[in-house]
Amino acid sequence: MKTSASSDTSIRKVAIASFIGTTIEWYDFFLYGTASALIFPRLFFPKYDPLTGVMAAYSTYAVGFIARPIGGIVCGHFGDRIGRKSMLIFTLSLMGVATALIGLLPIYDQAGVWAPALLVALRIAQGFAVGGEWGGAVLMAVEHSPKGRRGFYGSWPQVGVPVGLLLSTGVFALISTLPEDLLFSWGWRVAFLLSVLLVGVGLYVRLAMTEPPEFAEIKRTSSESKAPILDALRQHPKNVVLAMGARIAENGAFYLYTVFILTYATLPQIGFSRSSVLYAIALAAAVEIIAIPTYGWLSDKLGRRPVYLFGAIFTGLFAFPFFWLVETSNVSLMTLAVVVTLVGGHSAMYGPQASFFSELFGTRVRYSGASLGYQLASVIAGGLSPLIATDLLKRTGVSWPIALFVVGMAAVTTVSVFLATETVHVKITAESDVGQVAAKR
């Protein structure tokens, strides 16, 4: 029998391995978002005016989000039938290859329409990979966690998001110091080619991981679901929908404040440099590294719903002040706006999210159910929010419709979380069904 100390050591190893792999996945995924705002419009869509070129680049960016549910469904199916570990190795390898190939692509002047077509194909591969990644990474941490600490340890792979964002933003901030002709000729490619080295590190740590005990028991007794996606929809339809709704504000606002802001804040009438905005995002990501596990820990003490609701309500309340602060054209106030909105809003939702979503589903369908709710929302939230915001800006020339859009997303998430069951006391077993647990409100 394991001692408490040995169990703690085991979950720390699993959490760290999940964190490292997730960091690399998100580094690759975020690189594309930054490049969509700063690099791709000129190199892959040079025939358009600047804002239209950005919208075209954001459209290819959104394609990755459309592919994410497909990755979640396919990897969720095999993750519930074969195992979490095998899917994590597959998704990391796929992401690494796709990202490195983006760094080798010919541009429009060299290959014509084939250049953006190949870019879209590789973005689809990225989206598929990250769509399958999330469920396996968080389940490794949550299902290995001791009682009463699932929120804290489940937040560790979530920390891979700000670390991946910090790495990708830091790399782009560094290469943005290059003379413009070098940046647009070869400098941007370096950031994508670095993925090869990072993926090697990620595969090394993931190969040492073991399957969670509950899933190993299901494999031992040959009691896997034969159609986990269908079973998840049949057994937990309400929870799939509520997970989607809970994801809307977290995901949509996050990509507005880390991707669209690179377009908006660098407009001539606002006047910030690329590097100033990138540094603000990097600082916010650095603070989130502490904030996300803190909120995860709080959710173990206070419950998932109260912490998540705080983040959703904060996101709605701070939407208008965010743009007011950016429009001062003061670097300090712009930086403050980015840090406050990500730490106060995004972190509070993202910290408890892994445990919250995982606890909504039984072990036999958990990979599929959690991935489905998480990834379907990413299509209409994160995938479209930069594109919608850019369109609103192009049509109106002002920021208040964009802020109102954020308020709407926050309202959807607030209602969804309010209607969801508190899951902090749900047991992680093959038989657990949160639908049979009384809501604790």
Side-chain angles (χ1 to χ4, degrees), residues 2 50 54 74 79 85 107 117 126 142 165 198 234 288 294 308 321 337 372 407:
K2 284 187 176 182
V54 169
V74 173
K85 179 179 174 178
I107 61 175
Q126 277 194 325
V142 170
L165 178 61
L198 295 175
R234 184 165 49 245
E288 278 206 291
T294 300
Y308 211 113
L372 198 60
V407 172

Side-chain angles (χ1 to χ4, degrees), residues 138-265:
V138 301
L139 292 191
M140 275 289 193
V142 170
E143 292 180 341
H144 273 286
S145 295
K147 182 180 178 181
R149 306 198 71 186
R150 293 196 300 259
F152 175 66
Y153 283 117
S155 70
W156 284 34
Q158 303 287 77
V159 177
V161 168
V163 177
L165 178 61
L166 183 62
L167 285 175
S168 64
T169 303
V171 167
F172 252 101
L174 184 62
I175 65 174
S176 290
T177 61
L178 290 169
E180 194 159 284
D181 59 329
L182 297 182
L183 172 65
F184 282 88
S185 61
W186 59 264
W188 68 275
R189 297 181 184 275
V190 173
F192 287 88
L193 293 174
L194 280 174
S195 176
V196 175
L197 298 177
L198 295 175
V199 166
V201 174
L203 288 175
Y204 174 78
V205 298
R206 285 199 165 171
L207 286 169
M209 297 173 73
T210 59
E211 293 288 359
E214 287 77 14
F215 183 77
E217 178 63 17
I218 287 175
K219 291 289 292 181
R220 188 187 69 80
T221 57
S222 300
S223 55
E224 307 95 332
S225 169
K226 289 184 169 44
I229 285 289
L230 294 179
D231 284 345
L233 290 172
R234 184 165 49 245
Q235 297 167 14
H236 310 280
K238 176 184 175 183
N239 291 337
V240 171
V241 174
L242 292 179
M244 288 177 61
R247 177 97 161 110
I248 294 294
E250 173 269 310
N251 194 235
F254 179 78
Y255 284 101
L256 281 181
Y257 298 144
T258 59
V259 175
F260 171 73
I261 188 64
L262 290 165
T263 296
Y264 183 69

Side-chain angles (χ1 to χ4, degrees), residues 30-378:
F30 285 140
L31 275 181
Y32 195 101
T34 306
S36 293
L38 302 180
I39 304 295
F40 292 161
R42 184 189 300 190
L43 296 184
F44 291 90
F45 305 97
K47 303 295 185 181
Y48 299 108
D49 65 80
L51 264 185
T52 305
V54 169
M55 289 184 68
Y58 280 162
S59 296
T60 69
Y61 171 76
V63 166
F65 286 83
I66 295 170
R68 283 171 66 168
I70 302 172
I73 290 169
V74 173
C75 294
H77 174 84
F78 289 106
D80 281 327
R81 287 191 54 77
I82 299 173
R84 283 63 163 127
K85 179 179 174 178
S86 58
M87 289 301 100
L88 289 177
I89 292 170
F90 166 70
T91 56
L92 184 59
S93 302
L94 177 61
M95 177 65 90
V97 170
T99 303
L101 288 176
I102 289 174
L104 298 173
L105 279 180
I107 61 175
Y108 187 90
D109 289 345
Q110 297 168 328
V113 294
W114 280 106
L118 290 170
L119 185 66
V120 168
L122 292 174
R123 181 57 176 175
I124 289 172
Q126 277 194 325
F128 184 96
V130 83
E133 156 77 15
W134 180 84
V138 301
L139 292 191
M140 275 289 193
V142 170
E143 292 180 341
H144 273 286
S145 295
K147 182 180 178 181
R149 306 198 71 186
R150 293 196 300 259
F152 175 66
Y153 283 117
S155 70
W156 284 34
Q158 303 287 77
V159 177
V161 168
V163 177
L165 178 61
L166 183 62
L167 285 175
S168 64
T169 303
V171 167
F172 252 101
L174 184 62
I175 65 174
S176 290
T177 61
L178 290 169
E180 194 159 284
D181 59 329
L182 297 182
L183 172 65
F184 282 88
S185 61
W186 59 264
W188 68 275
R189 297 181 184 275
V190 173
F192 287 88
L193 293 174
L194 280 174
S195 176
V196 175
L197 298 177
L198 295 175
V199 166
V201 174
L203 288 175
Y204 174 78
V205 298
R206 285 199 165 171
L207 286 169
M209 297 173 73
T210 59
E211 293 288 359
E214 287 77 14
F215 183 77
E217 178 63 17
I218 287 175
K219 291 289 292 181
R220 188 187 69 80
T221 57
S222 300
S223 55
E224 307 95 332
S225 169
K226 289 184 169 44
I229 285 289
L230 294 179
D231 284 345
L233 290 172
R234 184 165 49 245
Q235 297 167 14
H236 310 280
K238 176 184 175 183
N239 291 337
V240 171
V241 174
L242 292 179
M244 288 177 61
R247 177 97 161 110
I248 294 294
E250 173 269 310
N251 194 235
F254 179 78
Y255 284 101
L256 281 181
Y257 298 144
T258 59
V259 175
F260 171 73
I261 188 64
L262 290 165
T263 296
Y264 183 69
T266 55
L267 290 173
Q269 59 267 39
I270 306 296
F272 291 111
S273 66
R274 285 192 299 259
S275 59
S276 295
V277 184
L278 287 169
Y279 286 133
I281 295 171
L283 177 60
V287 179
E288 278 206 291
I289 294 170
I290 303 300
I292 286 174
T294 300
Y295 284 119
W297 173 81
L298 276 175
S299 77
D300 284 329
K301 308 298 181 183
L302 305 177
R304 314 295 184 224
R305 292 171 66 251
V307 177
Y308 211 113
L309 281 170
F310 169 80
I313 293 169
F314 183 92
T315 297
L317 292 177
F318 198 70
F320 282 92
F322 173 84
F323 286 100
W324 296 338
L325 289 170
V326 171
E327 288 161 3
T328 63
S329 298
N330 180 289
V331 172
S332 297
L333 293 178
M334 179 271 294
T335 302
L336 178 67
V338 175
V339 172
V340 168
T341 195
L342 289 183
V343 173
H346 177 258
S347 294
M349 292 182 281
Y350 210 56
Q353 187 180 83
S355 54
F356 187 30
F357 286 14
S358 298
E359 291 159 351
L360 290 172
F361 303 93
T363 306
R364 294 175 66 251
V365 299
R366 186 169 291 128
Y367 201 140
S368 298
S371 295
L372 198 60
Y374 184 93
Q375 302 300 351
L376 284 175
S378 71

